[in-house]
Structure formats: structure tokens, C-alpha cells
Amino acid sequence: MTSEQYQQKLVVDKGGIRIDVWLGDNIDSISRSRLQKLISEGQVIVNQQVCESKKTILKTGDEVIVRIPPPVSSHLIPEAIPLDILYEDEYLLIINKPANFVVHPAPGHSQGTLVNALLSHCPDLKGIGGVERPGIVHRLDKDTTGAMVVAKTEPVLHHLQGQIKAKTAKREYLGVVYGSPSVSSGIVDLPIGRHPCDRKKMSILSEDKGGKPAVTHWLLKERIGNYSLIHYELETGRTHQIRVHSSHIGHPIIGDPLYSHGKSVGVNLTGQALHAFRLTLTHPITNNTLEAIAPLPQEFEKLLRILRLKIHG
């Protein structure tokens, strides 16, 4: 690779550090795992010699060249699926995801996913991990609707994931639940892991048994008879986190096929009544605050309208 566009030259200012660690600290645009792969592929040169091990210890003054090949084509098929875009520029986009829309291709869902749609919408992707694909910063369950941010470049992906990890990005949800909480707000701080018996489900699981820390803040927005509209804010982003935590405190999400067994409410819902209505983050390039608000889906609004009619007539 001779193009300067895909080559980066650095000089070691302080030796005694493994090359993969040093590169990870000095090249923000590439993940540690990606750098390790580039080393194994012979794409990292130290003092004009190919580096053969990620464990190589650097010396002060060493010259390091990292060659970054152009991204290879994804094996996934781009599909012209309409997207509800809340914000877009050359670095990222925020979409309003509908229900019944899988994010990532997987066995049984190789087509018709959000990633397939994004490959069609963004034909000039720079590449994530050496592959022409969009960077999914955080996921929403298949039948959870609302705002999702997607990175178009690897540096932007890492920056946004860092905001999620540092809890500087704000993810807010609205959910309609069974029952009426006795208090107006609370925090659920309980680890979540794969259910020991049902592999489709998650459950409250101690960390010594494989659970991962999970924290959900909730606020009662409206009591609607024996139902409630709840505002949720995530500190962590575990699979099914809001659904598991809400069910655990005795207020499962209406329409949730895994964690709710409440009676029918007279509305045919595509999935659970859970919507990511607001996403607030810092733009990785401009440093401006971005706030995207996703309007409530028609099904969600219809559910609220019917429940209120039952109470107020």
C-alpha cells in the first residue's frame, strides 16, 4: 500500500511499552483489536522492518508506520428500505427505528435488517474494522422503536461508543406499563445476564454467575387507571434492560412477549410499548450537542388514547 491516505507514520516518544498498547494510546481512530489484526497481517512496520508480534516492546525514537488497507466490500446485500432519518451528516445519522425491524443480520434474518438498509442509504462508507459497513453504536430490540445513532466512520464510532460508556450520552425512553407504582421515581441497580433456563430471555443475575451491571432510572409521568406512562433513562445498555428491570419491579411493559403476561388492553401492538424518544450526544467532530427527538409511533399514541378513554370516558 503506497497511498498516504491509508498510511500513518509515528515516532515513539516513550519506550518500554508493547506496540499494540502504544498504538492504541496514540491512534484514536482505530480500535485495539483492529490494530492487533493489522500487526498480524504484516501492516505495521517498525524501523523499516515488519512487526511480527503485538507483544513487541518499543524503544524511544522507534519509527512506526501503520498501513491501513482500503475497506473490503461487505458480504451483506444493500437493500433500498425506507428510513425515517432524524439527523444526518457526513459522519453519522440518527434514525427513528420502527417496530418489527431487526438491527443486525443474524441466522434467520440475513436480509431486511437495518444494516442492509444503511448499506443502500450510505454507499460511500469509509469502513468499520476494515469492512464497508455502518457502525452500530447501540442497539434497540427488534420491537422497540425510536432514536438510534449510527456512525459512518470508525473514529466516529469509537467516539460515540466512548460517550455511551462514559454515560455522557443521554438515552431516554417512554414505556406504558401494567400497574401504578406507589412512588413517583426510582432507580433499579441490578445486574442482568442470560436467563439460566430460557436462552431467549435475560434475567436478574448476580455478577458472580455472569450478570453484568445494569442501572435504569425511572420516573412516573402519568397514572392511567391501573396503567402508567413511565420515563426511563439508561446508565448502561444491557440486552432487554428496561424490559427486565421494569418487570422485576412489578410493572412489565404492555405488549412485551417475553416479560409480560398482563391482560389484553384492546390494541393490537406490533411489539412492546417501549419507545426511545430522545437521544442527546456530543457530535464527535463539531463538539456541538445533538438532540434527536423521535415522535411516538401511531400504535403507542393509540394505546395511550384508549387507556385514557377508559378512565375519563
Side-chain angles (χ1 to χ4, degrees):
M1 178 58 58
T2 60
S3 171
E4 289 297 317
Q5 182 181 0
Y6 301 108
Q7 183 168 296
Q8 190 162 350
K9 183 185 293 186
L10 307 98
V11 176
V12 178
D13 55 353
K14 184 179 180 181
I17 303 173
R18 272 176 46 156
I19 188 167
D20 60 337
V21 175
W22 188 85
L23 288 174
D25 291 339
N26 286 272
I27 303 181
D28 294 334
S29 60
I30 307 176
S31 68
R32 179 78 58 83
S33 60
R34 173 77 171 131
L35 287 166
Q36 290 175 342
K37 185 178 181 184
L38 288 172
I39 293 170
S40 69
E41 292 172 348
Q43 298 288 356
V44 177
I45 313 297
V46 180
N47 300 328
Q48 301 182 342
Q49 298 291 321
V50 173
C51 178
E52 297 181 346
S53 171
K54 65 184 180 182
K55 296 181 181 179
T56 297
I57 303 298
L58 294 172
K59 300 185 295 294
T60 301
D62 281 348
E63 181 186 86
V64 181
I65 294 174
V66 180
R67 296 171 176 168
I68 307 167
V72 299
S73 297
S74 169
H75 68 282
L76 300 171
I77 300 170
E79 295 181 64
I81 301 169
L83 294 171
D84 182 1
I85 297 173
L86 303 173
Y87 174 87
E88 182 175 15
D89 60 26
E90 61 185 296
Y91 305 106
L92 59 89
L93 72 161
I94 302 174
I95 67 155
N96 182 15
K97 189 186 88 65
N100 195 28
F101 198 14
V102 175
V103 173
H104 273 290
H109 288 287
S110 61
Q111 296 181 340
T113 73
L114 174 59
V115 169
N116 295 104
L118 289 166
L119 287 171
S120 174
H121 181 76
C122 310
D124 56 347
L125 289 168
K126 300 293 191 298
I128 306 290
V131 180
E132 291 176 336
R133 61 182 177 90
I136 303 300
V137 179
H138 61 114
R139 304 186 189 191
L140 292 178
D141 299 336
K142 174 187 173 185
D143 288 325
T144 296
T145 56
M148 264 190 72
V149 62
V150 179
K152 294 185 178 181
T153 70
E154 193 158 3
V156 169
L157 173 65
H158 296 154
H159 195 291
L160 292 171
Q161 288 177 331
Q163 292 183 46
I164 297 286
K165 186 175 182 180
K167 304 179 179 63
T168 56
K170 195 173 182 181
R171 292 168 291 164
E172 299 172 82
Y173 295 70
L174 288 172
V176 186
V177 305
Y178 290 99
S180 184
S182 58
V183 294
S184 60
S185 64
I187 300 173
V188 186
D189 184 354
L190 292 168
I192 289 175
R194 186 68 59 183
H195 194 286
C197 301
D198 187 344
R199 304 305 294 173
K200 292 182 179 180
K201 297 176 68 173
M202 307 299 287
S203 65
I204 304 299
L205 195 67
S206 62
E207 292 186 50
D208 61 346
K209 293 185 178 179
K212 294 182 179 180
V215 181
T216 305
H217 298 254
W218 65 268
L219 174 69
L220 177 65
K221 296 289 288 184
E222 181 183 357
R223 298 185 195 275
I224 317 172
N226 197 35
Y227 306 94
S228 301
L229 177 64
I230 304 289
H231 172 283
Y232 300 94
E233 187 174 336
L234 291 178
E235 271 195 35
T236 53
R238 306 303 174 203
T239 301
H240 299 178
Q241 178 174 317
I242 291 175
R243 298 163 62 188
V244 171
H245 276 172
S246 202
S247 179
H248 181 79
I249 63 174
H251 301 289
I253 306 287
I254 290 177
D256 190 327
L258 289 179
Y259 307 103
S260 169
H261 302 288
K263 65 179 182 179
S264 171
V265 292
V267 178
N268 291 324
L269 298 171
T270 303
Q272 56 274 355
L274 182 62
H275 178 67
F277 81 98
R278 182 158 55 204
L279 176 63
T280 308
L281 50 87
T282 301
H283 194 289
I285 306 301
T286 67
N287 213 36
N288 292 332
T289 298
L290 275 182
E291 181 184 81
I293 296 178
L296 289 174
Q298 289 185 356
E299 282 187 1
F300 198 112
E301 290 187 326
K302 182 180 179 181
L303 173 63
L304 288 173
R305 188 168 60 250
I306 288 177
L307 292 179
R308 287 165 181 157
L309 280 172
K310 288 181 178 180
I311 300 303
H312 304 296

